[in-house]
Amino acid sequence: MLTDKEKKNLEKKIKGINSINQKITIMLLDKLKSDLKSKDIIKNDIKSKISKCDGEIFYLYNIASDMWYLAGDKSTDYNFYTKRLILAGILSKLYFKILALKDYSLEQLEVDIKGEIKNIGKFNKLKSKIISTFQNLKDRPFSKNTGRGY
């Protein structure tokens, strides 16, 4: 989870920004930039959390949830969980790069964050098309005039 100090810092950085994608990008970059500077501390912290299994097993999910809350997310349906799981997946991928690659730079981190956010946009468009298609099929009356009916 984000500390209260981190939350206040992130709130200041996203104040006045309307775009959710931009808010999430700023928060990801800020959080991961500070963690990139302290790789060894983060490595030991994550190892400790994993070995203890002391309720922090959802560490990345909780960070993602805090970020969505700060971004103004008010979803209550399945989107609440999918948004957090997707962002936790992004965080895990980026943390893996930070911790595994010796020469992973801030510039590469910025490129990767922007790429991940772009991919989420593509996924959301696809999800909307699929949902729209199913709703159109559901609303379409089936009769002898419209085809086989199944």
Side-chain angles (χ1 to χ4, degrees):
M1 291 195 316
L2 297 172
T3 64
D4 289 339
K5 184 179 177 181
E6 287 175 315
K7 287 178 187 178
K8 286 179 184 177
N9 180 42
L10 291 174
E11 283 178 331
K12 287 179 189 175
K13 291 191 178 213
I14 63 171
K15 187 176 182 179
I17 296 173
N18 294 327
S19 166
I20 298 290
N21 282 352
Q22 194 174 5
K23 287 179 184 180
I24 294 293
T25 300
I26 289 167
M27 288 188 281
L28 278 172
L29 184 58
D30 191 74
K31 172 70 176 141
L32 294 172
K33 184 170 47 172
S34 67
D35 290 347
L36 181 63
K37 292 176 184 174
S38 53
K39 284 184 188 184
D40 293 332
I41 295 169
I42 299 301
K43 259 186 204 179
N44 292 332
D45 190 39
I46 289 175
K47 282 180 188 176
S48 170
K49 283 178 174 38
I50 290 171
S51 66
K52 288 181 188 174
C53 287
D54 61 355
E56 290 293 332
I57 196 147
F58 296 109
Y59 176 70
L60 296 178
Y61 179 87
N62 290 333
I63 291 173
S65 186
D66 287 345
M67 287 183 178
W68 275 111
Y69 174 76
L70 291 171
D73 180 50
K74 295 186 182 358
S75 60
T76 57
D77 56 359
Y78 75 96
N79 283 322
F80 177 89
Y81 299 101
T82 58
K83 287 177 182 180
R84 282 149 180 80
L85 288 171
I86 290 168
L87 188 54
I90 291 171
L91 280 163
S92 66
K93 183 178 181 179
L94 295 172
Y95 269 117
F96 182 77
K97 285 185 173 184
I98 287 171
L99 298 174
L101 302 174
K102 289 182 181 182
D103 58 350
Y104 194 66
S105 66
L106 177 60
E107 292 78 24
Q108 187 59 46
L109 177 63
E110 290 176 6
V111 168
D112 287 345
I113 288 172
K114 289 177 184 174
E116 292 295 331
I117 297 296
K118 187 177 178 181
N119 288 339
I120 294 301
K122 290 177 185 177
F123 173 76
N124 286 336
K125 286 178 185 175
L126 177 63
K127 183 175 76 171
S128 293
K129 281 184 179 181
I130 291 169
I131 290 171
S132 173
T133 300
F134 280 113
Q135 286 178 340
N136 288 340
L137 288 174
K138 183 183 89 174
D139 295 338
R140 186 174 157 207
F142 289 102
S143 70
K144 291 181 180 178
N145 297 333
T146 60
R148 297 179 70 178
Y150 54 171

